[in-house]
Amino acid sequence: MKTTLSPFHLAIPVHNLGTCRAFYRDILGCEEGRSDTHWVDFNFFGHQLVIHYKPKANDSSLHTNPVDGHDVPVPHFGVVLDWDVFHVFAENLKSKNIDFVIEPYVRFKGKPGEQATMFFHDPAGNALEFKAFKDLSMIFAT
């Protein structure tokens, strides 16, 4: 099915609104929008991301699934960037000493769906993945 790409809206829980607000604004470079005492909107690469305060849960267990020899955190979210933007963004994150779960690399090399990818957590433990395809038509390749 072919559709026109529309911005998504995603609301995620954070247990420290101030720390996460600074992370998304200052580390990831997202422009801040509306806010209140318990939530903040961000322009997340053209999409609407809202961080909502939620007290820290007692269950801090993480789950991963194996993908291309790496343990990918589940759940996770992120954005597909242009190839060149991805690499500039990755270098910027490295200069800010991001603690990567999976360092930036190219997975599925030479196969359908070849992509650059990286994973890291925000201060609340939400896993983020940023990726890029040299050929965007490969995004759903089988």
Side-chain angles (χ1 to χ4, degrees), residues 112-128:
E114 180 176 336
Q115 60 195 257
T117 187
M118 63 180 146
F119 287 83
F120 53 92
H121 290 104
D122 73 7
N126 295 300
L128 289 87

Side-chain angles (χ1 to χ4, degrees), residues 85-137:
V85 171
F86 173 91
H87 293 286
V88 170
F89 186 58
E91 289 305 315
N92 184 28
L93 293 175
K94 288 178 185 178
S95 75
K96 294 177 179 176
N97 298 316
I98 287 294
D99 184 17
F100 291 98
V101 174
I102 299 175
E103 294 271 342
Y105 84 107
V106 177
R107 72 174 163 204
F108 308 133
K109 275 191 177 185
K111 298 177 183 173
E114 180 176 336
Q115 60 195 257
T117 187
M118 63 180 146
F119 287 83
F120 53 92
H121 290 104
D122 73 7
N126 295 300
L128 289 87
E129 177 186 19
F130 288 85
K131 60 172 61 180
F133 296 82
K134 281 186 180 177
D135 178 358
L136 194 56
S137 72

